[in-house]
Amino acid sequence: MSKQWSQWQRFPDPRKLELQAAPFGPGCYELRNGAQLILYGMGNHVAQRMTSLLPAPFGCGTRNNHEKRKYVLENLASIEYRTLACATREAAKKHECQLKADRTAYRFPT
């Protein structure tokens, strides 16, 4: 598995049937809007987890984060993301803890 973050990419717009490029296994993700870091997270299946970053009907999942989802959709044209593939869930959790250490860097630090 990669030990390096992917390049920043524009977040796909599901209304235009655009697709995301993200690991199908464990890993982490970060989103930014210009220079402002927006949010971060980890998942056992990063590609699936990232689909919960948009509100219904564009996203899926049961996350209780209306404000985050609304922000991402309203700013979708300028949102970028990057991912980090990990070999295990534990490795992804470790990387997430490193991101969490600088909570002040993110608009949505949780």
Side-chain angles (χ1 to χ4, degrees), residues 15-83:
R15 298 167 292 196
K16 298 177 183 176
L17 303 178
E18 296 174 345
L19 302 174
Q20 70 177 347
F24 288 115
C28 296
Y29 60 86
E30 276 188 305
L31 270 63
R32 71 179 182 184
N33 186 351
Q36 168 72 57
L37 291 170
I38 303 304
L39 56 92
Y40 63 90
M42 61 82 59
N44 294 327
H45 188 289
V46 178
Q48 182 179 14
R49 180 72 170 164
M50 288 179 62
T51 63
S52 70
L53 298 174
L54 290 170
F58 308 111
C60 66
T62 58
R63 299 174 89 179
N64 185 16
N65 57 5
H66 175 74
E67 290 303 314
K68 289 180 193 178
R69 289 175 170 208
K70 180 180 172 189
Y71 179 89
V72 172
L73 184 61
E74 288 176 352
N75 295 278
L76 198 54
S78 58
I79 298 289
E80 294 181 308
Y81 72 99
R82 67 180 186 165
T83 60

